[in-house]
Amino acid sequence: MNRKRIYLCLAHMSGEEQKFIKEAFDTNWVVPLGPNVNGFEEDIKQFIGEGKEVVALSAGTAAVHLALLACGVGAGDEVIVQSFTFCASAHPVTYLGATPVFVDSGADSWNMDPGLLEEAIKDRVAKTGRKPKAIIPVALYGMPYDCERILEIATRYDIPVIEDAAEGFGSRYRGQALGTFGRYGVLSFNGNKMITTSGGGALICPDEGAKRDVMFYATQGREAYPYYQHEKIGYNYRMSNICAGIGRGQMTVVDEHVAHHKHVQALYRELLKGVDGVTLHENPSSCYDSNFWLCTVTLEPDLHVKGEEHAYEEAVQGAIGGAAGVTRAASALHTTCEPNRNVEAMRLALDWAGVESRPLWKPMHLQPVYRNNPCHVNGVSESLFKTGLCLPSGPCVTDDDVEYIVEQIRMNL
């Protein structure tokens, strides 16, 4: 096939990145910290508003870890985590010896269900005699969660909220930037996010004092002596001055990137009209303003896709979606919960046509590593995982690309 391959969300450079990187090399500021780090943090601070402070870090996962630490999470504690999410929302809880308690999603936003959240809090208090130490809702694929209801519940039970807005940079709820509602907010600047620093993230902090505390732990936890004195365990989590230079260049086009993703969503909306059995996920109401980091669809279970009878006949070689690095060979063709055959058939058909797509996140409560964790489920995330696909939506995706993708979907129905 001669047509270019269409990826989910490729990084797109503004052209300004080289200026900031060259400045770092010219001034020998190539190590962690430096003017680009300070400048990037200030750029983010101005973009999100609400008087928040920002710490630039090596990854969004590091931001989750440090936020948990800042909230006092430790061994033996419990943290409520949205189940329908990438593993980085949950794994840092286990780094600290704590236990993720998983809560399922609402059918409208696909994010944490407020009713189940309160049920989970009451259940854990009844069974353990203690409240969970934090709540982690997620902006899945950029879609805001129900900020009002979840914050109201969290406030009533006096439990801090750590917003995982890794996929939601540029998304808003009632006009307010995601990541600024909770005590802490997590951002990611991985290579496929709304903007990138090649790899990196940031933690949104409530004030200058909280920022200083986070930076202490992010720079190995060193005390102020003329030699290295450590009274706390710290981490090497700060962003480099080079990566921050990339981020400063990306911030010059962040509004354009968000607008483009919304434009692509609108194209899918128009072109998928009348395609029976394929549903595009949309903002639940005018309160929600998703950046549509990835555009997502669900396929009705009884929708027939060409070749679905041959789905799952061959083991996958390597990772599907994202730069996942090394994967371990699958031990079987099937797991106990997987996307429906028609979804896998559509993924394969799109892949053959040069279009990258991937299943929705497999809920954390269905992951073998968390099989024994407490969970409060309603079947929503499991159903979505079985029926959903992510479609290309990044800044390199053109109008012609979207038309081609939808044409391929139609051809295989």
Side-chain angles (χ1 to χ4, degrees):
M1 178 171 295
N2 294 323
R3 198 182 199 284
K4 69 169 186 177
R5 186 162 179 81
I6 306 171
Y7 293 94
L8 281 170
C9 191
L10 284 178
H12 177 264
M13 298 293 103
S14 69
E16 292 294 305
E17 293 85 2
Q18 287 287 357
K19 178 180 72 175
F20 295 108
I21 294 170
K22 183 177 185 301
E23 180 180 297
F25 275 93
D26 288 346
T27 58
N28 207 31
W29 278 105
V30 296
V31 295
L33 309 184
N36 280 336
V37 176
N38 297 335
F40 185 43
E41 289 174 343
E42 183 62 26
D43 290 343
I44 299 170
K45 178 180 174 179
Q46 294 303 317
F47 181 77
I48 62 173
E50 307 301 325
K52 302 288 185 174
E53 296 292 335
V54 176
V55 181
L57 299 165
S58 57
T61 310
V64 177
H65 189 186
L66 292 176
L68 290 164
L69 195 70
C71 289
V73 175
D77 290 330
E78 293 185 339
V79 175
I80 293 180
V81 182
Q82 181 169 311
S83 182
F84 201 21
T85 183
F86 179 56
C87 64
S89 306
H91 285 356
V93 178
T94 67
Y95 298 168
L96 294 167
T99 299
V101 176
F102 296 112
V103 168
D104 216 325
S105 295
D108 52 358
S109 71
W110 297 5
N111 291 320
M112 186 178 284
D113 181 281
L116 282 182
L117 167 62
E118 185 156 23
E119 176 187 300
I121 294 170
K122 291 178 178 178
D123 176 73
R124 301 323 295 165
V125 170
K127 289 179 177 174
T128 70
R130 296 191 301 161
K131 296 183 299 184
K133 291 295 286 284
I135 300 167
I136 305 180
V138 180
L140 196 75
Y141 305 119
M143 182 63 68
Y145 63 92
D146 191 335
C147 298
E148 286 178 299
R149 291 185 64 196
I150 289 180
L151 265 294
E152 186 276 321
I153 293 167
T155 300
R156 185 152 35 88
Y157 287 93
D158 192 26
I159 302 174
V161 169
I162 299 169
E163 289 182 77
D164 186 342
E167 300 170 3
F169 190 51
S171 297
R172 297 179 179 272
Y173 183 87
R174 291 192 182 275
Q176 183 174 333
L178 291 194
T180 65
F181 288 87
R183 184 175 300 180
Y184 292 93
V186 172
L187 301 175
S188 172
F189 307 120
N190 193 22
N192 63 357
K193 293 300 189 293
M194 190 60 64
I195 65 166
T196 185
T197 56
S198 76
L203 186 61
I204 301 170
C205 301
D207 50 46
E208 184 63 36
K211 176 178 179 175
R212 284 197 302 271
D213 289 343
V214 167
M215 288 197 295
F216 169 77
Y217 283 102
T219 52
Q220 302 286 23
R222 180 186 176 188
E223 305 294 332
Y225 291 89
Y227 44 86
Y228 282 84
Q229 172 86 358
H230 301 281
E231 299 172 12
K232 301 284 186 181
I233 297 296
Y235 307 90
N236 185 18
Y237 278 169
R238 281 293 255 156
M239 181 179 286
S240 80
N241 200 47
I242 297 299
C243 289
I246 299 172
R248 293 187 76 183
Q250 288 278 283
M251 286 300 292
T252 66
V253 292
V254 61
D255 290 324
E256 294 175 28
H257 283 190
V258 173
H260 180 80
H261 281 250
K262 292 180 178 181
H263 170 72
V264 169
Q265 172 78 5
L267 275 177
Y268 278 122
R269 181 186 306 125
E270 181 63 29
L271 295 172
L272 286 170
K273 283 181 180 177
V275 181
D276 293 336
V278 179
T279 302
L280 183 69
H281 188 220
E282 299 271 27
N283 286 315
S285 75
S286 60
C287 298
Y288 296 77
D289 184 11
S290 176
N291 64 12
F292 294 111
W293 169 60
L294 289 183
C295 299
T296 55
V297 294
T298 54
L299 307 185
E300 291 294 328
D302 59 355
L303 183 69
H304 180 72
V305 174
K306 293 177 182 177
E308 66 180 66
E309 63 274 16
H310 300 298
Y312 296 114
E313 286 185 346
E314 296 183 11
V316 171
Q317 302 297 317
I320 298 298
V326 176
T327 59
R328 296 175 68 174
S331 58
L333 287 176
H334 297 278
T335 64
T336 55
C337 184
E338 60 193 16
N340 293 338
R341 286 182 175 273
N342 61 352
V343 173
E344 175 62 2
M346 184 63 76
R347 184 191 71 78
L348 290 170
L350 290 173
D351 184 62
W352 184 88
V355 177
E356 182 186 24
S357 65
R358 73 176 181 209
L360 304 183
W361 299 125
K362 184 168 186 173
M364 289 294 105
H365 72 272
L366 297 174
Q367 296 288 355
V369 72
Y370 290 123
R371 66 170 63 88
N372 297 320
N373 284 56
C375 61
H376 293 259
V377 299
N378 54 15
V380 169
S381 63
E382 182 173 343
S383 174
L384 290 169
F385 170 61
K386 290 179 178 180
T387 60
L389 268 181
C390 300
L391 299 177
S393 55
C396 296
V397 176
T398 67
D399 291 12
D400 287 344
D401 290 338
V402 177
E403 291 178 5
Y404 175 76
I405 293 164
V406 173
E407 177 187 359
Q408 294 303 311
I409 291 173
R410 288 177 178 272
M411 285 174 56
N412 285 281
L413 296 178

